[in-house]
Amino acid sequence: MTTTDIRPLDTPTEGPTLVRHWTGSHEDSPWIALARELSPQLAENAERHDGEGSFVDDGFALLREHRLMSMLVPSELGGGGASHAEACAVLAELGQGCPATALSYSMHSHLIAAQVWRHHRGLPSPVLERVADEQLCLISTGASDWLESSGSAHRVDGGFRIAARKMPASGCPAGDLLVTSIRWEDGPDGPQVVHCTVPFSADGVSIEQTWDTLGMRGTGSHTVVLDDVFVPDAAVALTRPADTWHPVWSTVVGAAMPLIMACYVGVAEAAVERVLGLASRRADRPETVAQVGRMHNRFTAARDAVAAMIASSDDLRFDNTVDHADVTVRRKTNAAEACIDTVRLALELGGGMAYSRRGGIERLFRDVHGALYHPLPAPTQEMFTGRHMLGAGSA
């Protein structure tokens, strides 16, 4: 075997490149082309942000400059009109350059995607036009809130007074609107959860810089502090019973998980591409050839799991059933495990140079482990799936 026989996955020997075909998107997408242009620019500062633990503010400046904040907003509402699959491909491209930028951007994107799902069903989504007009950044606290939520809400004339500490809130240093939920313990029908939107400019909103982690250090996933903040009724999107499954979560899971996990496929691909250069120096060793094959097996499994998630979300026209949510979180677990395995194998394959921080793969190895913590973590997902399969409910 020669060194030219070891090449990145899906690189053909001739003909047009069909990169990102695994997402169901097309090569001629201007959004994917833009992401390919931006990814090397993001990569220039990725290591610095990781070393400092500083927020990827320059990355978000680029996203706003190129109107990526409204990429998913339908064109009839003034947005970019990108498909769900295109957005996933964009995130995979950005994830190769700077995982922290891609991941924090995916948190904004999944909130937009959930609103696009509503738009497709003829439901009002006024925030979409605002995002298109102003390139607003939306920040989510859903991962830590989940069914039970946290904080305290008290009914007052015209709305609620809320108090909470919400963490992690990825991308919050760039945030314009916080999309969150607050527990309303003394609701009229028992404990409720109030889903609402809060401007970062509102009185009582502040950011406490608490994010100091193993990986994804540049996401700025700090704690947002809400200190006696007034939320008018007009800013409340939903009030639901606490501690039980609600269809809103089926919508969020179907919209969000393909986008989020596409970032980690990008991280895995970056590791694969970097290590092949190192492995090519030892291409005459049978164990190297076998390791390259094993790594690509796991990389293919990661892509396949995310591709299946994208396909089942049907360009944000899926039915928000528990069945759909369940199969999506199963695929999320499989994708997370396969992405982590891919980068671990790359680290082994690259030898001492890969283990060195100068090699870049060490950082990717730390970053890819963030996949473990998105909803649902594997033990929780297995309980969720087991209960659903046995007809025991979904809470």
Side-chain angles (χ1 to χ4, degrees):
M1 175 177 283
T2 67
T3 57
T4 56
D5 289 323
I6 299 179
R7 59 181 182 269
L9 188 68
D10 293 342
T11 299
T13 55
E14 59 183 19
T17 302
L18 297 177
V19 181
R20 304 296 156 242
H21 66 82
W22 61 273
T23 65
S25 58
H26 297 287
E27 175 67 14
D28 59 358
S29 163
W31 294 109
I32 299 174
L34 174 61
R36 288 199 195 115
E37 292 178 15
L38 296 182
S39 188
Q41 297 179 54
L42 297 176
E44 291 175 5
N45 290 313
E47 186 174 348
R48 174 176 64 81
H49 285 299
D50 176 74
E52 297 172 348
S54 58
F55 177 59
V56 287
D57 49 359
D58 51 323
F60 267 72
L62 275 176
L63 297 178
R64 281 194 162 106
E65 176 186 345
H66 293 279
R67 299 189 64 79
L68 278 156
M69 309 312 288
S70 58
M71 173 182 63
L72 268 168
V73 174
S75 54
E76 63 267 25
L77 299 179
S83 70
H84 197 213
E86 282 179 289
C88 290
V90 163
L91 285 161
E93 291 285 353
L94 299 179
Q96 292 186 61
C98 179
T101 299
L103 184 61
S104 46
Y105 172 50
S106 78
M107 298 304 167
H108 161 86
S109 298
H110 90 253
L111 294 171
I112 301 299
Q115 293 300 309
V116 173
W117 181 92
R118 288 175 55 84
H119 175 73
H120 288 330
R121 294 184 169 231
L123 300 171
S125 303
V127 74
L128 292 177
E129 292 185 77
R130 285 197 63 197
V131 169
D133 288 343
E134 304 171 48
Q135 292 300 294
L136 297 178
C137 178
L138 277 55
I139 303 298
S140 171
T141 67
S144 59
D145 289 335
W146 205 233
L147 304 184
E148 63 275 12
S149 194
S150 63
S152 61
H154 299 285
R155 199 78 170 95
V156 296
D157 288 344
F160 292 87
R161 285 280 175 185
I162 64 171
R165 292 174 58 85
K166 296 293 185 177
M167 180 273 186
S170 296
C172 64
D176 297 299
L177 297 173
L178 182 72
V179 180
T180 190
S181 70
I182 307 291
R183 193 173 181 92
W184 183 17
E185 199 67 41
D186 54 354
D189 300 313
Q192 305 279 302
V193 173
V194 178
H195 290 253
C196 57
T197 301
V198 180
F200 274 83
S201 60
D203 290 342
V205 179
S206 62
I207 296 173
E208 187 176 321
Q209 297 197 6
T210 54
W211 187 247
D212 186 12
T213 53
L214 177 71
M216 290 295 183
R217 289 172 47 78
T219 59
S221 304
H222 300 301
T223 300
V224 177
V225 180
L226 305 169
D227 183 10
D228 193 30
V229 176
F230 175 67
V231 176
D233 286 329
V236 175
L238 169 71
T239 301
R240 62 170 175 85
D243 307 315
T244 60
W245 188 261
H246 186 278
V248 69
W249 289 115
S250 295
T251 300
V252 170
V253 165
M257 285 302 105
L259 294 162
I260 293 170
M261 294 312 299
C263 300
Y264 290 101
V265 172
V267 176
E269 183 158 4
V272 167
E273 291 183 350
R274 289 190 184 198
V275 81
L276 286 178
L278 299 174
S280 65
R281 304 170 189 174
R282 294 179 276 108
D284 57 340
R285 300 181 187 178
E287 66 272 18
T288 298
V289 175
Q291 280 184 297
V292 169
R294 190 177 307 117
M295 177 180 66
H296 279 81
N297 285 352
R298 298 306 289 147
F299 183 42
T300 300
R303 281 185 161 186
D304 287 351
V306 176
M309 294 163 71
I310 296 168
S312 68
S313 288
D314 192 22
D315 198 18
L316 301 173
R317 290 173 172 84
F318 60 93
D319 291 332
N320 63 336
T321 62
V322 178
D323 284 342
H324 184 260
D326 172 56
V327 73
T328 301
V329 294
R330 279 187 265 155
R331 287 168 173 154
K332 180 265 171 181
T333 294
N334 293 341
E337 291 174 352
C339 285
I340 291 170
D341 285 348
T342 300
V343 185
R344 176 183 57 80
L345 288 165
L347 195 66
E348 293 180 9
L349 184 60
M353 181 56 72
Y355 192 59
S356 166
R357 296 193 69 174
R358 290 179 300 159
I361 295 173
E362 173 268 348
R363 173 166 55 83
L364 298 174
F365 182 71
R366 289 186 286 108
D367 284 345
V368 78
H369 278 80
L372 294 171
Y373 304 104
H374 300 286
L376 293 175
T380 307
Q381 174 267 309
E382 290 162 357
M383 287 289 293
F384 179 93
T385 295
R387 288 178 60 84
H388 180 58
M389 291 294 110
L390 293 171
S394 306

PDB file of all heavy atoms in Angstrom, residues 218-247:
ATOM      1  N   GLY A 218     -14.370  27.169  24.649  1.00  0.00           N
ATOM      2  CA  GLY A 218     -14.659  28.468  24.067  1.00  0.00           C
ATOM      3  C   GLY A 218     -16.141  28.764  23.882  1.00  0.00           C
ATOM      4  O   GLY A 218     -16.482  29.809  23.312  1.00  0.00           O
ATOM      5  N   THR A 219     -17.031  27.892  24.348  1.00  0.00           N
ATOM      6  CA  THR A 219     -18.459  28.080  24.089  1.00  0.00           C
ATOM      7  C   THR A 219     -19.101  29.140  24.972  1.00  0.00           C
ATOM      8  O   THR A 219     -20.252  29.521  24.730  1.00  0.00           O
ATOM      9  CB  THR A 219     -19.244  26.766  24.279  1.00  0.00           C
ATOM     10  OG1 THR A 219     -19.053  26.292  25.614  1.00  0.00           O
ATOM     11  CG2 THR A 219     -18.784  25.708  23.283  1.00  0.00           C
ATOM     12  N   GLY A 220     -18.387  29.612  25.987  1.00  0.00           N
ATOM     13  CA  GLY A 220     -18.965  30.635  26.857  1.00  0.00           C
ATOM     14  C   GLY A 220     -20.246  30.178  27.524  1.00  0.00           C
ATOM     15  O   GLY A 220     -21.191  30.962  27.684  1.00  0.00           O
ATOM     16  N   SER A 221     -20.280  28.916  27.943  1.00  0.00           N
ATOM     17  CA  SER A 221     -21.511  28.343  28.508  1.00  0.00           C
ATOM     18  C   SER A 221     -21.631  28.686  29.989  1.00  0.00           C
ATOM     19  O   SER A 221     -21.728  27.807  30.857  1.00  0.00           O
ATOM     20  CB  SER A 221     -21.524  26.829  28.295  1.00  0.00           C
ATOM     21  OG  SER A 221     -21.382  26.508  26.934  1.00  0.00           O
ATOM     22  N   HIS A 222     -21.648  29.974  30.258  1.00  0.00           N
ATOM     23  CA  HIS A 222     -21.649  30.466  31.620  1.00  0.00           C
ATOM     24  C   HIS A 222     -23.043  30.371  32.250  1.00  0.00           C
ATOM     25  O   HIS A 222     -23.982  29.845  31.652  1.00  0.00           O
ATOM     26  CB  HIS A 222     -21.158  31.914  31.642  1.00  0.00           C
ATOM     27  CG  HIS A 222     -19.774  32.100  31.106  1.00  0.00           C
ATOM     28  ND1 HIS A 222     -18.682  31.455  31.649  1.00  0.00           N
ATOM     29  CD2 HIS A 222     -19.301  32.856  30.077  1.00  0.00           C
ATOM     30  CE1 HIS A 222     -17.599  31.806  30.987  1.00  0.00           C
ATOM     31  NE2 HIS A 222     -17.942  32.651  30.030  1.00  0.00           N
ATOM     32  N   THR A 223     -23.158  30.906  33.448  1.00  0.00           N
ATOM     33  CA  THR A 223     -24.420  30.925  34.181  1.00  0.00           C
ATOM     34  C   THR A 223     -25.121  32.260  33.942  1.00  0.00           C
ATOM     35  O   THR A 223     -24.535  33.326  34.168  1.00  0.00           O
ATOM     36  CB  THR A 223     -24.180  30.740  35.685  1.00  0.00           C
ATOM     37  OG1 THR A 223     -23.542  29.477  35.893  1.00  0.00           O
ATOM     38  CG2 THR A 223     -25.485  30.782  36.466  1.00  0.00           C
ATOM     39  N   VAL A 224     -26.369  32.195  33.492  1.00  0.00           N
ATOM     40  CA  VAL A 224     -27.188  33.398  33.369  1.00  0.00           C
ATOM     41  C   VAL A 224     -27.992  33.536  34.662  1.00  0.00           C
ATOM     42  O   VAL A 224     -28.706  32.616  35.053  1.00  0.00           O
ATOM     43  CB  VAL A 224     -28.121  33.328  32.154  1.00  0.00           C
ATOM     44  CG1 VAL A 224     -29.019  34.568  32.094  1.00  0.00           C
ATOM     45  CG2 VAL A 224     -27.311  33.204  30.867  1.00  0.00           C
ATOM     46  N   VAL A 225     -27.847  34.667  35.300  1.00  0.00           N
ATOM     47  CA  VAL A 225     -28.529  34.928  36.568  1.00  0.00           C
ATOM     48  C   VAL A 225     -29.750  35.805  36.294  1.00  0.00           C
ATOM     49  O   VAL A 225     -29.644  36.864  35.659  1.00  0.00           O
ATOM     50  CB  VAL A 225     -27.591  35.629  37.568  1.00  0.00           C
ATOM     51  CG1 VAL A 225     -28.313  35.894  38.886  1.00  0.00           C
ATOM     52  CG2 VAL A 225     -26.341  34.775  37.804  1.00  0.00           C
ATOM     53  N   LEU A 226     -30.898  35.350  36.761  1.00  0.00           N
ATOM     54  CA  LEU A 226     -32.157  36.084  36.650  1.00  0.00           C
ATOM     55  C   LEU A 226     -32.577  36.480  38.058  1.00  0.00           C
ATOM     56  O   LEU A 226     -32.962  35.629  38.859  1.00  0.00           O
ATOM     57  CB  LEU A 226     -33.223  35.224  35.972  1.00  0.00           C
ATOM     58  CG  LEU A 226     -32.845  34.649  34.594  1.00  0.00           C
ATOM     59  CD1 LEU A 226     -33.853  33.605  34.158  1.00  0.00           C
ATOM     60  CD2 LEU A 226     -32.738  35.766  33.566  1.00  0.00           C
ATOM     61  N   ASP A 227     -32.486  37.756  38.354  1.00  0.00           N
ATOM     62  CA  ASP A 227     -32.735  38.257  39.698  1.00  0.00           C
ATOM     63  C   ASP A 227     -33.985  39.136  39.701  1.00  0.00           C
ATOM     64  O   ASP A 227     -33.932  40.312  39.343  1.00  0.00           O
ATOM     65  CB  ASP A 227     -31.520  39.049  40.188  1.00  0.00           C
ATOM     66  CG  ASP A 227     -31.663  39.542  41.619  1.00  0.00           C
ATOM     67  OD1 ASP A 227     -32.619  39.123  42.309  1.00  0.00           O
ATOM     68  OD2 ASP A 227     -30.820  40.342  42.050  1.00  0.00           O
ATOM     69  N   ASP A 228     -35.117  38.537  40.069  1.00  0.00           N
ATOM     70  CA  ASP A 228     -36.391  39.255  40.141  1.00  0.00           C
ATOM     71  C   ASP A 228     -36.703  39.947  38.815  1.00  0.00           C
ATOM     72  O   ASP A 228     -36.978  41.145  38.752  1.00  0.00           O
ATOM     73  CB  ASP A 228     -36.372  40.269  41.284  1.00  0.00           C
ATOM     74  CG  ASP A 228     -37.769  40.808  41.604  1.00  0.00           C
ATOM     75  OD1 ASP A 228     -38.755  40.078  41.401  1.00  0.00           O
ATOM     76  OD2 ASP A 228     -37.855  41.980  42.040  1.00  0.00           O
ATOM     77  N   VAL A 229     -36.666  39.175  37.737  1.00  0.00           N
ATOM     78  CA  VAL A 229     -36.911  39.696  36.395  1.00  0.00           C
ATOM     79  C   VAL A 229     -38.408  39.632  36.092  1.00  0.00           C
ATOM     80  O   VAL A 229     -39.057  38.605  36.348  1.00  0.00           O
ATOM     81  CB  VAL A 229     -36.124  38.889  35.349  1.00  0.00           C
ATOM     82  CG1 VAL A 229     -36.447  39.363  33.934  1.00  0.00           C
ATOM     83  CG2 VAL A 229     -34.622  38.986  35.609  1.00  0.00           C
ATOM     84  N   PHE A 230     -38.937  40.712  35.533  1.00  0.00           N
ATOM     85  CA  PHE A 230     -40.342  40.712  35.135  1.00  0.00           C
ATOM     86  C   PHE A 230     -40.477  40.134  33.735  1.00  0.00           C
ATOM     87  O   PHE A 230     -39.782  40.554  32.807  1.00  0.00           O
ATOM     88  CB  PHE A 230     -40.922  42.122  35.162  1.00  0.00           C
ATOM     89  CG  PHE A 230     -42.342  42.197  34.655  1.00  0.00           C
ATOM     90  CD1 PHE A 230     -43.379  41.596  35.363  1.00  0.00           C
ATOM     91  CD2 PHE A 230     -42.637  42.854  33.466  1.00  0.00           C
ATOM     92  CE1 PHE A 230     -44.690  41.649  34.894  1.00  0.00           C
ATOM     93  CE2 PHE A 230     -43.939  42.918  32.993  1.00  0.00           C
ATOM     94  CZ  PHE A 230     -44.973  42.310  33.714  1.00  0.00           C
ATOM     95  N   VAL A 231     -41.382  39.147  33.597  1.00  0.00           N
ATOM     96  CA  VAL A 231     -41.692  38.547  32.303  1.00  0.00           C
ATOM     97  C   VAL A 231     -43.156  38.819  31.995  1.00  0.00           C
ATOM     98  O   VAL A 231     -44.044  38.285  32.674  1.00  0.00           O
ATOM     99  CB  VAL A 231     -41.431  37.023  32.315  1.00  0.00           C
ATOM    100  CG1 VAL A 231     -41.847  36.401  30.983  1.00  0.00           C
ATOM    101  CG2 VAL A 231     -39.967  36.728  32.595  1.00  0.00           C
ATOM    102  N   PRO A 232     -43.459  39.654  31.005  1.00  0.00           N
ATOM    103  CA  PRO A 232     -44.856  39.926  30.674  1.00  0.00           C
ATOM    104  C   PRO A 232     -45.524  38.705  30.061  1.00  0.00           C
ATOM    105  O   PRO A 232     -44.859  37.834  29.490  1.00  0.00           O
ATOM    106  CB  PRO A 232     -44.759  41.077  29.667  1.00  0.00           C
ATOM    107  CG  PRO A 232     -43.410  40.947  29.056  1.00  0.00           C
ATOM    108  CD  PRO A 232     -42.521  40.398  30.138  1.00  0.00           C
ATOM    109  N   ASP A 233     -46.833  38.658  30.178  1.00  0.00           N
ATOM    110  CA  ASP A 233     -47.576  37.525  29.626  1.00  0.00           C
ATOM    111  C   ASP A 233     -47.274  37.312  28.141  1.00  0.00           C
ATOM    112  O   ASP A 233     -47.247  36.172  27.666  1.00  0.00           O
ATOM    113  CB  ASP A 233     -49.078  37.736  29.820  1.00  0.00           C
ATOM    114  CG  ASP A 233     -49.516  37.529  31.267  1.00  0.00           C
ATOM    115  OD1 ASP A 233     -48.881  36.706  31.965  1.00  0.00           O
ATOM    116  OD2 ASP A 233     -50.473  38.196  31.701  1.00  0.00           O
ATOM    117  N   ALA A 234     -47.036  38.408  27.416  1.00  0.00           N
ATOM    118  CA  ALA A 234     -46.775  38.298  25.981  1.00  0.00           C
ATOM    119  C   ALA A 234     -45.487  37.538  25.681  1.00  0.00           C
ATOM    120  O   ALA A 234     -45.312  37.030  24.570  1.00  0.00           O
ATOM    121  CB  ALA A 234     -46.706  39.687  25.359  1.00  0.00           C
ATOM    122  N   ALA A 235     -44.583  37.461  26.654  1.00  0.00           N
ATOM    123  CA  ALA A 235     -43.311  36.766  26.451  1.00  0.00           C
ATOM    124  C   ALA A 235     -43.375  35.299  26.876  1.00  0.00           C
ATOM    125  O   ALA A 235     -42.381  34.594  26.798  1.00  0.00           O
ATOM    126  CB  ALA A 235     -42.199  37.468  27.222  1.00  0.00           C
ATOM    127  N   VAL A 236     -44.545  34.848  27.344  1.00  0.00           N
ATOM    128  CA  VAL A 236     -44.723  33.454  27.762  1.00  0.00           C
ATOM    129  C   VAL A 236     -45.265  32.653  26.590  1.00  0.00           C
ATOM    130  O   VAL A 236     -46.360  32.931  26.087  1.00  0.00           O
ATOM    131  CB  VAL A 236     -45.669  33.350  28.973  1.00  0.00           C
ATOM    132  CG1 VAL A 236     -45.932  31.890  29.319  1.00  0.00           C
ATOM    133  CG2 VAL A 236     -45.068  34.084  30.171  1.00  0.00           C
ATOM    134  N   ALA A 237     -44.491  31.668  26.143  1.00  0.00           N
ATOM    135  CA  ALA A 237     -44.889  30.853  24.993  1.00  0.00           C
ATOM    136  C   ALA A 237     -45.739  29.663  25.391  1.00  0.00           C
ATOM    137  O   ALA A 237     -46.564  29.190  24.605  1.00  0.00           O
ATOM    138  CB  ALA A 237     -43.642  30.368  24.255  1.00  0.00           C
ATOM    139  N   LEU A 238     -45.541  29.166  26.608  1.00  0.00           N
ATOM    140  CA  LEU A 238     -46.205  27.923  27.015  1.00  0.00           C
ATOM    141  C   LEU A 238     -46.147  27.796  28.518  1.00  0.00           C
ATOM    142  O   LEU A 238     -45.144  28.148  29.135  1.00  0.00           O
ATOM    143  CB  LEU A 238     -45.471  26.728  26.369  1.00  0.00           C
ATOM    144  CG  LEU A 238     -45.814  25.325  26.852  1.00  0.00           C
ATOM    145  CD1 LEU A 238     -47.220  24.927  26.382  1.00  0.00           C
ATOM    146  CD2 LEU A 238     -44.785  24.308  26.355  1.00  0.00           C
ATOM    147  N   THR A 239     -47.226  27.295  29.091  1.00  0.00           N
ATOM    148  CA  THR A 239     -47.220  26.857  30.485  1.00  0.00           C
ATOM    149  C   THR A 239     -47.683  25.410  30.495  1.00  0.00           C
ATOM    150  O   THR A 239     -48.729  25.076  29.925  1.00  0.00           O
ATOM    151  CB  THR A 239     -48.165  27.715  31.344  1.00  0.00           C
ATOM    152  OG1 THR A 239     -47.756  29.079  31.265  1.00  0.00           O
ATOM    153  CG2 THR A 239     -48.115  27.279  32.791  1.00  0.00           C
ATOM    154  N   ARG A 240     -46.891  24.546  31.112  1.00  0.00           N
ATOM    155  CA  ARG A 240     -47.171  23.100  31.080  1.00  0.00           C
ATOM    156  C   ARG A 240     -47.007  22.501  32.460  1.00  0.00           C
ATOM    157  O   ARG A 240     -46.335  23.076  33.328  1.00  0.00           O
ATOM    158  CB  ARG A 240     -46.228  22.406  30.102  1.00  0.00           C
ATOM    159  CG  ARG A 240     -44.764  22.524  30.487  1.00  0.00           C
ATOM    160  CD  ARG A 240     -43.857  21.630  29.653  1.00  0.00           C
ATOM    161  NE  ARG A 240     -42.441  21.842  29.964  1.00  0.00           N
ATOM    162  CZ  ARG A 240     -41.795  21.250  30.958  1.00  0.00           C
ATOM    163  NH1 ARG A 240     -42.428  20.397  31.770  1.00  0.00           N
ATOM    164  NH2 ARG A 240     -40.509  21.500  31.169  1.00  0.00           N
ATOM    165  N   PRO A 241     -47.570  21.310  32.684  1.00  0.00           N
ATOM    166  CA  PRO A 241     -47.333  20.625  33.958  1.00  0.00           C
ATOM    167  C   PRO A 241     -45.856  20.283  34.128  1.00  0.00           C
ATOM    168  O   PRO A 241     -45.176  19.900  33.167  1.00  0.00           O
ATOM    169  CB  PRO A 241     -48.182  19.357  33.835  1.00  0.00           C
ATOM    170  CG  PRO A 241     -49.199  19.666  32.785  1.00  0.00           C
ATOM    171  CD  PRO A 241     -48.525  20.588  31.826  1.00  0.00           C
ATOM    172  N   ALA A 242     -45.347  20.427  35.332  1.00  0.00           N
ATOM    173  CA  ALA A 242     -43.953  20.086  35.614  1.00  0.00           C
ATOM    174  C   ALA A 242     -43.780  18.577  35.724  1.00  0.00           C
ATOM    175  O   ALA A 242     -44.728  17.847  36.032  1.00  0.00           O
ATOM    176  CB  ALA A 242     -43.509  20.751  36.911  1.00  0.00           C
ATOM    177  N   ASP A 243     -42.563  18.127  35.437  1.00  0.00           N
ATOM    178  CA  ASP A 243     -42.117  16.757  35.730  1.00  0.00           C
ATOM    179  C   ASP A 243     -42.719  15.688  34.830  1.00  0.00           C
ATOM    180  O   ASP A 243     -42.499  14.498  35.071  1.00  0.00           O
ATOM    181  CB  ASP A 243     -42.394  16.392  37.198  1.00  0.00           C
ATOM    182  CG  ASP A 243     -41.831  17.400  38.172  1.00  0.00           C
ATOM    183  OD1 ASP A 243     -40.675  17.811  37.978  1.00  0.00           O
ATOM    184  OD2 ASP A 243     -42.548  17.799  39.106  1.00  0.00           O
ATOM    185  N   THR A 244     -43.473  16.070  33.809  1.00  0.00           N
ATOM    186  CA  THR A 244     -44.041  15.083  32.897  1.00  0.00           C
ATOM    187  C   THR A 244     -43.716  15.472  31.463  1.00  0.00           C
ATOM    188  O   THR A 244     -43.478  16.641  31.141  1.00  0.00           O
ATOM    189  CB  THR A 244     -45.573  14.975  33.050  1.00  0.00           C
ATOM    190  OG1 THR A 244     -46.163  16.250  32.766  1.00  0.00           O
ATOM    191  CG2 THR A 244     -45.945  14.545  34.455  1.00  0.00           C
ATOM    192  N   TRP A 245     -43.716  14.471  30.596  1.00  0.00           N
ATOM    193  CA  TRP A 245     -43.395  14.703  29.191  1.00  0.00           C
ATOM    194  C   TRP A 245     -44.466  15.573  28.550  1.00  0.00           C
ATOM    195  O   TRP A 245     -45.656  15.416  28.797  1.00  0.00           O
ATOM    196  CB  TRP A 245     -43.289  13.375  28.451  1.00  0.00           C
ATOM    197  CG  TRP A 245     -42.781  13.516  27.045  1.00  0.00           C
ATOM    198  CD1 TRP A 245     -43.519  13.545  25.899  1.00  0.00           C
ATOM    199  CD2 TRP A 245     -41.420  13.661  26.633  1.00  0.00           C
ATOM    200  NE1 TRP A 245     -42.718  13.699  24.804  1.00  0.00           N
ATOM    201  CE2 TRP A 245     -41.418  13.768  25.225  1.00  0.00           C
ATOM    202  CE3 TRP A 245     -40.203  13.702  27.332  1.00  0.00           C
ATOM    203  CZ2 TRP A 245     -40.245  13.920  24.495  1.00  0.00           C
ATOM    204  CZ3 TRP A 245     -39.031  13.848  26.599  1.00  0.00           C
ATOM    205  CH2 TRP A 245     -39.059  13.953  25.198  1.00  0.00           C
ATOM    206  N   HIS A 246     -44.033  16.466  27.695  1.00  0.00           N
ATOM    207  CA  HIS A 246     -44.939  17.335  26.952  1.00  0.00           C
ATOM    208  C   HIS A 246     -44.503  17.310  25.489  1.00  0.00           C
ATOM    209  O   HIS A 246     -43.299  17.191  25.197  1.00  0.00           O
ATOM    210  CB  HIS A 246     -44.870  18.768  27.512  1.00  0.00           C
ATOM    211  CG  HIS A 246     -45.875  19.697  26.911  1.00  0.00           C
ATOM    212  ND1 HIS A 246     -45.676  20.332  25.700  1.00  0.00           N
ATOM    213  CD2 HIS A 246     -47.095  20.109  27.357  1.00  0.00           C
ATOM    214  CE1 HIS A 246     -46.714  21.090  25.419  1.00  0.00           C
ATOM    215  NE2 HIS A 246     -47.590  20.980  26.403  1.00  0.00           N
ATOM    216  N   PRO A 247     -45.438  17.431  24.531  1.00  0.00           N
ATOM    217  CA  PRO A 247     -45.049  17.398  23.113  1.00  0.00           C
ATOM    218  C   PRO A 247     -43.992  18.422  22.720  1.00  0.00           C
ATOM    219  O   PRO A 247     -43.288  18.231  21.720  1.00  0.00           O
ATOM    220  CB  PRO A 247     -46.379  17.661  22.384  1.00  0.00           C
ATOM    221  CG  PRO A 247     -47.431  17.153  23.314  1.00  0.00           C
ATOM    222  CD  PRO A 247     -46.905  17.435  24.696  1.00  0.00           C
TER     223      PRO A 247
END
